[in-house]
């Protein structure tokens, strides 16, 4: 599993767009990029996954540049309920799973300010 | 209503006792996982299972044991050999082993005194 680096924390005001960047310099050709959201005392929730360019769903967008060495999770018009920890994971498709270990880093603690 | 259930939500045990945490899923997923989360930290993989009757150690398997006798169930036993068992335990499942699109249960907070 490729090592990832994220900011430890971020603050933003309600109604703004928030962008959280994740660095993954050692990403492999077959690796996908996946983001999770976790509220206190709850299990993480899958947000979005992508391989290249841009992916958008009803919750967020994921931007991946051509070199794929980083990715940016974009949350449009955040509200107080978006206050959570966000994790970036990078890893291969199911067929490559063998001795890979799934480890969530400490993530980015996003605080939304009223 | 599909999903993953974990029980109980809170569990208290005395030191030296083994305790088993329950995890059930009705998503028809092949793979299941157990993670441990300590305060302010990320998740660490304890055990995972890609298929019934097979499971593999994760990064911190010492002091834990699992079984996978049914596709729907993946119980975790925290044994007395686990040095620091107090933690938040999370179970997850995915369609295939290693699939990063995992679905998590609500977690069990274990306190050992």
């Amino acid at each position: 599993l490729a090592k990832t680096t994220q900011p430890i924390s971020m603050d933003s005001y309600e109604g703004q767009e928030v962008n959280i960047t994740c660095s993954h310099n050692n990403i492999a050709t077959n690796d996908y990029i996946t983001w999770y959201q976790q509220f206190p005392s709850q299990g993480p929730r899958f947000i979005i996954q992508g391989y290249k360019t841009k992916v958008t769903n009803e919750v967020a967008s994921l931007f991946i540049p051509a070199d794929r060495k980083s990715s940016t999770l974009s949350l449009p018009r955040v509200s107080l309920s978006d206050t959570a920890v966000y994790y970036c994971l990078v890893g291969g498709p199911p067929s490559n799973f063998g001795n890979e270990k799934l480890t969530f880093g400490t993530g980015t603690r996003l605080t939304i300010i009223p | 209503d599909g999903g993953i259930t974990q029980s109980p939500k809170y569990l208290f045990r005395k030191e030296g006792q083994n305790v088993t945490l329950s995890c059930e899923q009705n998503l028809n997923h092949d793979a299941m996982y157990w993670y441990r989360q300590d305060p302010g930290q990320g998740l660490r993989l304890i055990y995972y299972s890609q298929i019934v009757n097979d499971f593999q150690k994760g990064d911190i398997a010492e002091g834990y044991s699992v079984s996978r006798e049914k596709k729907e169930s993946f119980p975790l036993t925290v044994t007395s050999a686990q040095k620091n068992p107090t933690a938040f335990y999370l179970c997850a499942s995915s369609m295939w082993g290693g699939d990063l699109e995992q679905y998590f249960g609500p977690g069990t907070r274990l306190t050992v005194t």
Side-chain angles (χ1 to χ4, degrees), chain A residues 94, chain B residues 25-33 48-55 68 70-74 92-99:
Chain B
Q25 56 101 356
N26 61 3
L27 299 167
N28 200 32
H29 286 171
D30 282 331
M32 297 187 75
Y33 312 81
Y48 62 95
S49 168
Q50 297 188 72
I51 197 168
V52 175
N53 292 322
D54 183 65
F55 48 83
R68 187 85 187 278
K70 298 187 300 181
K71 188 175 185 177
E72 303 80 17
S73 179
F74 191 41
S93 71
S94 65
M95 290 187 71
W96 307 283
D99 186 354

Side-chain angles (χ1 to χ4, degrees), chain B residues 67-85:
Chain B
S67 63
R68 187 85 187 278
E69 297 176 1
K70 298 187 300 181
K71 188 175 185 177
E72 303 80 17
S73 179
F74 191 41
L76 173 75
T77 297
V78 183
T79 75
S80 56
Q82 167 51 231
K83 296 285 188 279
N84 298 295

Side-chain angles (χ1 to χ4, degrees), chain B residues 21-38:
Chain B
L21 281 57
S22 167
C23 177
E24 303 277 333
Q25 56 101 356
N26 61 3
L27 299 167
N28 200 32
H29 286 171
D30 282 331
M32 297 187 75
Y33 312 81
W34 273 106
Y35 293 88
R36 169 186 172 132
Q37 187 172 36
D38 293 291

